[in-house]
Amino acid sequence: MAQVSNNVKFSYNLIKGSVKKREEFVSNLNEHFFSTLVPIYQKGKTTLSDIRRSYFSVLPESKIVDIKPLTDNSKYYGASDYIYAGDSISGLTLEMPLKHSILPKVSFVTFMHENTHVLDTLTNPKHTALTLKLFQGGKYDTKRDKWYNFLYKRELINKRTKGNILLKVKTKTKSFLSGKSLQDKIALLQDARYQLEQEKHAYSEQLKYALKLKAQNIPVTKDDLVDESKNFLFDEKIQLLKDMIFELISKKRKNIADKYCK
């Protein structure tokens, strides 16, 4: 497994426990960020410097999180990503939209979404280790990006089309994996599964805090009040990936058994 820098993971004493316990840790920490940052957004003109000062007073350990402006040509409302240094990962970004150097009030929900990604990453170093392994192996190419973008998108869903959508996802996934080694297939599927699970959690936190902000008469958009988990079919797609991983692992074990039983 690739070595993960201490700059992009919490220490074990903070994050030991089950997947559910780590998710609860992230949600509880997000609650602390929310209660600390709401007054800053409410005051009026909020800058990234305002956010940075409070952010690092809440973060339980010193980590490299570059809170910076979202690029003007970005098609997203916010973003978070790894900071790559050569063939290693040295930190994380949390990117927010600015208007005349000021954070729009409606961007608070976006901040909570992107911060969930940052905290999930710090809390799950095995996700980063797998990302680093794939990055170092040159597996993040345009074909992989195209496949993942097919997985991670909003769907036009009704009872009749859900099955067809999942069939297309499975077909597209098998086509993408065709010709790859068994080990690479498992790693790529696991990586995509982790990313979809993080997106599901981020959208869940986004909706929770959008409802809280609305209750406090702080501006939110209609889109932020939508349960996106259903629109993206996160549960169904994640289960599909799990099933495909299980099939491949079973095949791998059978191959090993056959080898030593000859």
Side-chain angles (χ1 to χ4, degrees), residues 84-97:
Y84 291 93
D87 63 350
S88 64
I89 293 172
S90 62
L92 302 167
T93 69
L94 200 167
E95 302 168 45
M96 296 298 297

Side-chain angles (χ1 to χ4, degrees), residues 44 48 107 226 235 240:
L48 282 183
S107 71
V226 173
D235 287 336
L240 175 61

Side-chain angles (χ1 to χ4, degrees), residues 8-261:
V8 289
K9 66 178 179 180
F10 285 133
S11 57
Y12 179 70
N13 66 304
L14 284 181
I15 59 174
K16 62 185 177 182
S18 65
V19 172
K20 184 171 178 58
K21 287 287 185 184
R22 292 196 298 272
E23 189 171 294
E24 289 172 355
F25 171 81
V26 169
S27 293
N28 291 336
L29 190 51
N30 241 352
E31 192 70 46
H32 193 178
F33 277 109
F34 179 80
S35 60
T36 302
L37 295 175
V38 161
I40 298 174
Y41 269 87
Q42 283 180 315
K43 75 174 186 179
K45 295 182 177 180
T46 306
T47 66
L48 282 183
S49 295
D50 296 327
I51 297 297
R52 289 188 192 108
R53 278 192 294 272
S54 292
Y55 186 88
F56 291 105
S57 72
V58 175
L59 200 66
E61 293 179 336
S62 177
K63 303 298 169 188
I64 295 181
V65 182
D66 184 9
I67 303 174
K68 64 179 188 177
L70 189 67
T71 57
D72 291 337
N73 61 351
S74 175
K75 62 180 179 179
Y76 303 107
Y77 297 111
S80 59
D81 201 355
Y82 290 109
I83 300 171
Y84 291 93
D87 63 350
S88 64
I89 293 172
S90 62
L92 302 167
T93 69
L94 200 167
E95 302 168 45
M96 296 298 297
L98 294 181
K99 198 169 186 179
H100 307 299
S101 300
I102 301 299
L103 280 159
K105 281 190 177 182
V106 291
S107 71
F108 195 6
V109 174
T110 298
F111 174 87
M112 297 308 298
H113 178 112
E114 299 305 335
N115 192 46
T116 304
H117 283 306
V118 170
L119 299 180
D120 270 337
T121 300
L122 293 170
T123 306
N124 292 283
K126 71 176 183 178
H127 295 188
T128 302
L130 181 53
T131 295
L132 189 54
K133 177 184 175 182
L134 291 171
F135 171 70
Q136 290 172 342
K139 306 302 179 184
Y140 285 140
D141 54 18
T142 54
K143 288 183 179 179
R144 186 270 172 194
D145 291 345
K146 187 176 180 181
W147 164 66
Y148 181 73
N149 289 336
F150 185 82
L151 282 177
Y152 174 45
K153 67 177 182 178
R154 292 178 180 84
E155 308 286 1
L156 298 173
I157 307 162
N158 58 46
K159 289 182 179 179
R160 290 183 178 181
T161 62
K162 185 183 289 189
N164 290 334
I165 290 169
L166 294 175
L167 179 59
K168 287 179 181 178
V169 168
K170 187 171 185 178
T171 301
K172 190 88 170 179
T173 299
K174 284 186 172 182
S175 175
F176 165 68
L177 296 175
S178 179
K180 292 177 171 53
S181 70
L182 189 59
Q183 185 176 347
D184 282 349
K185 288 178 181 179
I186 293 171
L188 286 160
L189 288 172
Q190 195 74 281
D191 180 57
R193 171 201 158 193
Y194 289 155
Q195 290 192 40
L196 289 185
E197 286 175 341
Q198 285 201 11
E199 289 295 350
K200 177 187 173 185
H201 191 205
Y203 276 111
S204 173
E205 292 287 285
Q206 171 179 312
L207 178 59
K208 177 172 73 177
Y209 290 108
L211 292 170
K212 285 191 175 191
L213 290 169
K214 184 182 179 184
Q216 296 181 33
N217 294 316
I218 297 175
V220 293
T221 68
K222 288 183 179 179
D223 289 343
D224 288 335
L225 296 167
V226 173
D227 183 359
E228 292 285 21
S229 185
K230 294 179 180 178
N231 292 333
F232 281 92
L233 291 179
F234 284 132
D235 287 336
E236 293 84 353
K237 290 174 181 176
I238 290 167
Q239 188 58 52
L240 175 61
L241 294 178
K242 284 182 177 179
D243 290 343
M244 295 183 78
I245 292 166
F246 178 78
E247 288 175 12
L248 290 170
I249 291 175
S250 298
K251 182 179 179 180
K252 184 177 181 180
R253 287 173 177 167
K254 184 178 184 304
N255 289 344
I256 294 171
D258 289 345
K259 179 181 178 181
Y260 288 100
C261 287

